[in-house]
Amino acid sequence: QVQLVESGGGLVQAGGSLRLSCAASGRTFSRYGVMGWFRQAPGKERECVATISRSDGSTYYADSVKGRFTISRDNAKNTVYLQMNSLKPEDTAVYYCAAGQLMVVVAGAYPYWGQGTQVTVSS
């Protein structure tokens, strides 16, 4: 099993920053080499924000967040981060951490998910 716990969400004004953390644990976590951040806004589908390979550190970013968000990992701490800068109201969503095996953007390809953390950006 793999357990993922997100933290760091909150309320911030447009233009502000937040740093999300995802702490991973579980006996089989090492079998999943890709970590992703997804978000789901009210009435919208869950979308991939960023992914990172735990092995070589390669990253992917959605066009909507490229240049503003940075995904990183600390393998020693089994933790991935999402640094969110220049936040916009359209970034408002529940942000989820996910663990998978391939660098893909389809949510259904990730078998393990955290509970989510709310990010609200006010204008």
Side-chain angles (χ1 to χ4, degrees):
Q1 299 293 328
V2 176
Q3 295 81 44
L4 305 174
V5 180
E6 303 96 336
S7 62
L11 175 64
V12 65
Q13 292 186 345
S17 298
L18 285 173
R19 187 195 192 201
L20 305 183
S21 298
C22 174
S25 62
R27 184 178 62 84
T28 63
F29 175 64
S30 62
R31 302 178 185 177
Y32 298 90
V34 176
M35 302 296 297
W37 284 100
F38 291 74
R39 67 186 182 186
Q40 188 164 23
K44 296 184 178 180
E45 298 294 317
R46 188 169 298 189
E47 65 172 339
C48 183
V49 175
T51 64
I52 187 167
S53 169
R54 294 197 295 109
S55 58
D56 64 12
S58 60
T59 59
Y60 158 85
Y61 295 95
D63 288 342
S64 60
V65 307
K66 193 172 298 182
R68 299 188 298 121
F69 292 9
T70 302
I71 188 170
S72 62
R73 91 288 197 208
D74 186 337
N75 288 343
K77 297 181 179 179
N78 292 330
T79 301
V80 296
Y81 306 94
L82 186 68
Q83 178 66 47
M84 305 185 294
N85 298 325
S86 301
L87 283 162
K88 304 175 181 179
E90 51 262 45
D91 295 318
T92 296
V94 177
Y95 283 70
Y96 297 90
C97 179
Q101 295 179 321
L102 295 172
M103 290 282 282
V104 296
V105 300
V106 180
Y110 290 78
Y112 292 100
W113 295 82
Q115 294 296 312
T117 184
Q118 177 71 47
V119 172
T120 302
V121 184
S122 64
S123 60

